[in-house]
Amino acid sequence: MINVPVGIATLVAGALLLPEVRQPKGAAVPDAASALALLLAVSLLVLATVEGPWWGWTDIRTVALFAVAALAAAATVERTLRAKAPVIEKQLFAGRPFTAATVALFLFSAGFAIVLLSTALFMQEVWHFSPLRAGVSIAPAPLASIAFAMNAGPIQSRFGRTAPAVTGTLAMALAAGYWITNVHTTPDYWGGMFPGLILVGLAGGLTQAPLFAAAGTLAPERATTGSAVLNMSRQIGSAVGVALLVALTPQTATTGFDHAWSVQAGAGIAAATALLALRPRHTP
């Protein structure tokens, strides 16, 4: 009900506003083997993570899924390095800004997926909020995100691409730490959940725009492909984040949410570290 009209509006706006850049004639079709290997790696990793708590982490099924996922990931890397037209082009990662953005988007999206689902689940299943009340309670996060995202251009012009993204990823980690310390089984929205949601809004608004803008550092004919890879990294990170949340919160145990928020904090810190470690080296 929501996605269809938004999708239609996006298609119309894209057709009217976006410049068209085509692949050169005769360009190779993306390698099917690398696409299949990537699909298997992500799908089996998520399946093993979700089912692991119920099957047991040492169960033959869990171990086998993780093993095959690792082999599929290795095959994806091998095809990326050797195939004529792999689904992930190695040339895209020749530049540090794009590499940093891809890694950071994966990590940030894993943590952000935990944010989106854990807050709704906690308020409904631990605090016993209605779905409508939980939805309204989460609204400050996207509202704060919009406020920062609308000023992403001026912020980037003033501070560059790395500093806002690092600030955003660390804000997500700080939100997790605040929730671990202040959110308990007794409902306390304003003192417990609300401040963390504002930090999460700041994180979303400051982080995502500069990371996706890294596609603009590529050659014009590769920008579309680069944007697709960044979006793929975001989607894989989100899938892994949701899988981790499901694995860490069996039967919605409150300690499981603390564990999930710890993973969220770790993802934010890891994303910030990747951005700083891979930031461009400026020469005089």
Side-chain angles (χ1 to χ4, degrees):
M1 295 291 289
I2 294 173
N3 290 346
V4 170
V6 170
I8 293 173
T10 303
L11 287 172
V12 173
L16 295 175
L17 300 175
L18 293 178
E20 184 174 1
V21 180
R22 290 184 175 270
Q23 283 273 65
K25 289 186 177 180
V29 175
D31 177 56
S34 61
L36 179 59
L38 179 62
L39 175 62
L40 285 174
V42 176
S43 302
L44 296 179
L45 173 63
V46 169
L47 179 59
T49 304
V50 169
E51 297 294 350
W54 313 106
W55 291 346
W57 295 111
T58 58
D59 185 274
I60 185 62
R61 293 170 293 180
T62 308
V63 174
L65 285 174
F66 277 126
V68 178
L71 291 173
T76 304
V77 173
E78 192 276 335
R79 298 300 296 174
T80 296
L81 295 176
R82 298 181 182 276
K84 181 179 179 182
V87 70
I88 303 175
E89 300 175 6
K90 63 181 179 181
Q91 294 85 355
L92 298 175
F93 300 96
R96 294 169 72 91
F98 184 83
T99 303
T102 304
V103 174
L105 255 178
F106 169 80
L107 294 167
F108 177 80
S109 299
F112 207 70
I114 292 175
V115 169
L116 296 176
L117 192 54
S118 67
T119 50
L121 287 175
F122 191 94
M123 285 190 282
Q124 290 181 78
E125 298 182 3
V126 179
W127 285 356
H128 303 294
F129 282 16
S130 68
L132 178 60
R133 185 181 179 187
V136 172
S137 298
I138 293 171
L143 291 175
S145 181
I146 290 171
F148 283 99
M150 289 177 65
N151 292 283
I155 291 173
Q156 184 171 316
S157 298
R158 175 67 178 84
F159 298 102
R161 182 182 292 114
T162 302
V166 169
T167 302
T169 55
L170 292 178
M172 183 178 72
L174 186 60
Y178 185 87
W179 287 332
I180 292 170
T181 304
N182 295 280
V183 172
H184 308 292
T185 54
T186 302
D188 180 16
Y189 174 75
W190 294 107
M193 192 66 72
F194 179 78
L197 290 171
I198 297 301
L199 287 170
V200 166
L202 183 150
L206 286 180
T207 303
Q208 297 185 78
L211 293 185
F212 277 108
T217 64
L218 303 172
E221 69 274 9
R222 301 264 51 85
T224 301
T225 303
S227 180
V229 169
L230 289 170
N231 195 46
M232 178 192 68
S233 181
R234 177 189 65 81
Q235 291 176 324
I236 293 174
S238 297
V240 171
V242 171
L244 288 171
L245 177 63
V246 172
L248 291 169
T249 54
Q251 300 177 349
T252 65
T254 54
T255 54
F257 284 100
D258 285 346
H259 295 158
W261 288 330
S262 296
V263 173
Q264 172 191 325
I269 294 171
T273 302
L275 288 168
L276 291 173
L278 295 172
R279 68 185 183 277
R281 295 193 181 100
H282 296 289
T283 56

PDB file of all heavy atoms in Angstrom, residues 17-30:
ATOM      1  N   LEU A  17      13.853  13.610 -14.497  1.00  0.00           N
ATOM      2  CA  LEU A  17      14.918  14.420 -13.912  1.00  0.00           C
ATOM      3  C   LEU A  17      16.323  13.853 -14.090  1.00  0.00           C
ATOM      4  O   LEU A  17      17.290  14.620 -14.114  1.00  0.00           O
ATOM      5  CB  LEU A  17      14.654  14.606 -12.402  1.00  0.00           C
ATOM      6  CG  LEU A  17      13.334  15.289 -12.034  1.00  0.00           C
ATOM      7  CD1 LEU A  17      13.148  15.293 -10.518  1.00  0.00           C
ATOM      8  CD2 LEU A  17      13.308  16.715 -12.573  1.00  0.00           C
ATOM      9  N   LEU A  18      16.456  12.519 -14.192  1.00  0.00           N
ATOM     10  CA  LEU A  18      17.796  11.939 -14.189  1.00  0.00           C
ATOM     11  C   LEU A  18      18.389  11.894 -15.597  1.00  0.00           C
ATOM     12  O   LEU A  18      17.708  11.529 -16.547  1.00  0.00           O
ATOM     13  CB  LEU A  18      17.754  10.518 -13.620  1.00  0.00           C
ATOM     14  CG  LEU A  18      17.396  10.394 -12.141  1.00  0.00           C
ATOM     15  CD1 LEU A  18      17.336   8.931 -11.733  1.00  0.00           C
ATOM     16  CD2 LEU A  18      18.392  11.134 -11.280  1.00  0.00           C
ATOM     17  N   PRO A  19      19.671  12.256 -15.744  1.00  0.00           N
ATOM     18  CA  PRO A  19      20.320  12.115 -17.056  1.00  0.00           C
ATOM     19  C   PRO A  19      20.534  10.640 -17.372  1.00  0.00           C
ATOM     20  O   PRO A  19      20.722   9.817 -16.471  1.00  0.00           O
ATOM     21  CB  PRO A  19      21.661  12.829 -16.862  1.00  0.00           C
ATOM     22  CG  PRO A  19      21.919  12.741 -15.389  1.00  0.00           C
ATOM     23  CD  PRO A  19      20.568  12.822 -14.725  1.00  0.00           C
ATOM     24  N   GLU A  20      20.494  10.305 -18.648  1.00  0.00           N
ATOM     25  CA  GLU A  20      20.644   8.914 -19.062  1.00  0.00           C
ATOM     26  C   GLU A  20      22.077   8.658 -19.502  1.00  0.00           C
ATOM     27  O   GLU A  20      22.619   9.386 -20.340  1.00  0.00           O
ATOM     28  CB  GLU A  20      19.683   8.597 -20.221  1.00  0.00           C
ATOM     29  CG  GLU A  20      19.728   7.130 -20.645  1.00  0.00           C
ATOM     30  CD  GLU A  20      18.670   6.803 -21.698  1.00  0.00           C
ATOM     31  OE1 GLU A  20      17.939   7.728 -22.098  1.00  0.00           O
ATOM     32  OE2 GLU A  20      18.598   5.638 -22.101  1.00  0.00           O
ATOM     33  N   VAL A  21      22.683   7.626 -18.916  1.00  0.00           N
ATOM     34  CA  VAL A  21      24.032   7.198 -19.294  1.00  0.00           C
ATOM     35  C   VAL A  21      23.957   5.727 -19.641  1.00  0.00           C
ATOM     36  O   VAL A  21      23.565   4.906 -18.814  1.00  0.00           O
ATOM     37  CB  VAL A  21      25.039   7.423 -18.141  1.00  0.00           C
ATOM     38  CG1 VAL A  21      26.432   6.971 -18.568  1.00  0.00           C
ATOM     39  CG2 VAL A  21      25.055   8.886 -17.728  1.00  0.00           C
ATOM     40  N   ARG A  22      24.320   5.381 -20.869  1.00  0.00           N
ATOM     41  CA  ARG A  22      24.208   3.995 -21.324  1.00  0.00           C
ATOM     42  C   ARG A  22      25.557   3.295 -21.317  1.00  0.00           C
ATOM     43  O   ARG A  22      26.603   3.932 -21.438  1.00  0.00           O
ATOM     44  CB  ARG A  22      23.636   3.949 -22.755  1.00  0.00           C
ATOM     45  CG  ARG A  22      22.169   4.335 -22.838  1.00  0.00           C
ATOM     46  CD  ARG A  22      21.652   4.181 -24.261  1.00  0.00           C
ATOM     47  NE  ARG A  22      20.232   4.436 -24.332  1.00  0.00           N
ATOM     48  CZ  ARG A  22      19.293   3.508 -24.172  1.00  0.00           C
ATOM     49  NH1 ARG A  22      19.676   2.263 -23.911  1.00  0.00           N
ATOM     50  NH2 ARG A  22      18.028   3.816 -24.253  1.00  0.00           N
ATOM     51  N   GLN A  23      25.508   1.975 -21.167  1.00  0.00           N
ATOM     52  CA  GLN A  23      26.702   1.157 -21.323  1.00  0.00           C
ATOM     53  C   GLN A  23      27.169   1.221 -22.776  1.00  0.00           C
ATOM     54  O   GLN A  23      26.353   1.366 -23.691  1.00  0.00           O
ATOM     55  CB  GLN A  23      26.379  -0.307 -20.984  1.00  0.00           C
ATOM     56  CG  GLN A  23      26.285  -0.596 -19.489  1.00  0.00           C
ATOM     57  CD  GLN A  23      27.643  -0.929 -18.907  1.00  0.00           C
ATOM     58  OE1 GLN A  23      28.526  -0.079 -18.877  1.00  0.00           O
ATOM     59  NE2 GLN A  23      27.809  -2.144 -18.445  1.00  0.00           N
ATOM     60  N   PRO A  24      28.475   1.113 -23.012  1.00  0.00           N
ATOM     61  CA  PRO A  24      28.951   1.049 -24.408  1.00  0.00           C
ATOM     62  C   PRO A  24      28.359  -0.168 -25.116  1.00  0.00           C
ATOM     63  O   PRO A  24      28.094  -1.204 -24.496  1.00  0.00           O
ATOM     64  CB  PRO A  24      30.464   0.906 -24.249  1.00  0.00           C
ATOM     65  CG  PRO A  24      30.765   1.406 -22.866  1.00  0.00           C
ATOM     66  CD  PRO A  24      29.565   1.081 -22.047  1.00  0.00           C
ATOM     67  N   LYS A  25      28.144  -0.040 -26.412  1.00  0.00           N
ATOM     68  CA  LYS A  25      27.620  -1.160 -27.190  1.00  0.00           C
ATOM     69  C   LYS A  25      28.589  -2.331 -27.139  1.00  0.00           C
ATOM     70  O   LYS A  25      29.806  -2.152 -27.193  1.00  0.00           O
ATOM     71  CB  LYS A  25      27.391  -0.733 -28.641  1.00  0.00           C
ATOM     72  CG  LYS A  25      26.214   0.213 -28.819  1.00  0.00           C
ATOM     73  CD  LYS A  25      25.938   0.492 -30.288  1.00  0.00           C
ATOM     74  CE  LYS A  25      24.706   1.377 -30.455  1.00  0.00           C
ATOM     75  NZ  LYS A  25      24.430   1.654 -31.886  1.00  0.00           N
ATOM     76  N   GLY A  26      28.035  -3.516 -27.022  1.00  0.00           N
ATOM     77  CA  GLY A  26      28.864  -4.705 -26.956  1.00  0.00           C
ATOM     78  C   GLY A  26      29.363  -5.049 -25.571  1.00  0.00           C
ATOM     79  O   GLY A  26      30.165  -5.967 -25.411  1.00  0.00           O
ATOM     80  N   ALA A  27      28.926  -4.308 -24.535  1.00  0.00           N
ATOM     81  CA  ALA A  27      29.359  -4.607 -23.170  1.00  0.00           C
ATOM     82  C   ALA A  27      28.870  -5.997 -22.761  1.00  0.00           C
ATOM     83  O   ALA A  27      27.771  -6.415 -23.113  1.00  0.00           O
ATOM     84  CB  ALA A  27      28.809  -3.557 -22.207  1.00  0.00           C
ATOM     85  N   ALA A  28      29.685  -6.705 -22.023  1.00  0.00           N
ATOM     86  CA  ALA A  28      29.369  -8.084 -21.646  1.00  0.00           C
ATOM     87  C   ALA A  28      28.242  -8.143 -20.629  1.00  0.00           C
ATOM     88  O   ALA A  28      28.083  -7.252 -19.789  1.00  0.00           O
ATOM     89  CB  ALA A  28      30.617  -8.759 -21.076  1.00  0.00           C
ATOM     90  N   VAL A  29      27.449  -9.202 -20.721  1.00  0.00           N
ATOM     91  CA  VAL A  29      26.400  -9.444 -19.731  1.00  0.00           C
ATOM     92  C   VAL A  29      27.063  -9.866 -18.423  1.00  0.00           C
ATOM     93  O   VAL A  29      28.049 -10.613 -18.431  1.00  0.00           O
ATOM     94  CB  VAL A  29      25.440 -10.542 -20.230  1.00  0.00           C
ATOM     95  CG1 VAL A  29      24.413 -10.893 -19.166  1.00  0.00           C
ATOM     96  CG2 VAL A  29      24.767 -10.096 -21.515  1.00  0.00           C
ATOM     97  N   PRO A  30      26.578  -9.391 -17.256  1.00  0.00           N
ATOM     98  CA  PRO A  30      27.193  -9.768 -15.975  1.00  0.00           C
ATOM     99  C   PRO A  30      27.289 -11.283 -15.803  1.00  0.00           C
ATOM    100  O   PRO A  30      26.402 -12.030 -16.219  1.00  0.00           O
ATOM    101  CB  PRO A  30      26.255  -9.145 -14.946  1.00  0.00           C
ATOM    102  CG  PRO A  30      25.661  -7.972 -15.647  1.00  0.00           C
ATOM    103  CD  PRO A  30      25.510  -8.399 -17.074  1.00  0.00           C
TER     104      PRO A  30
END
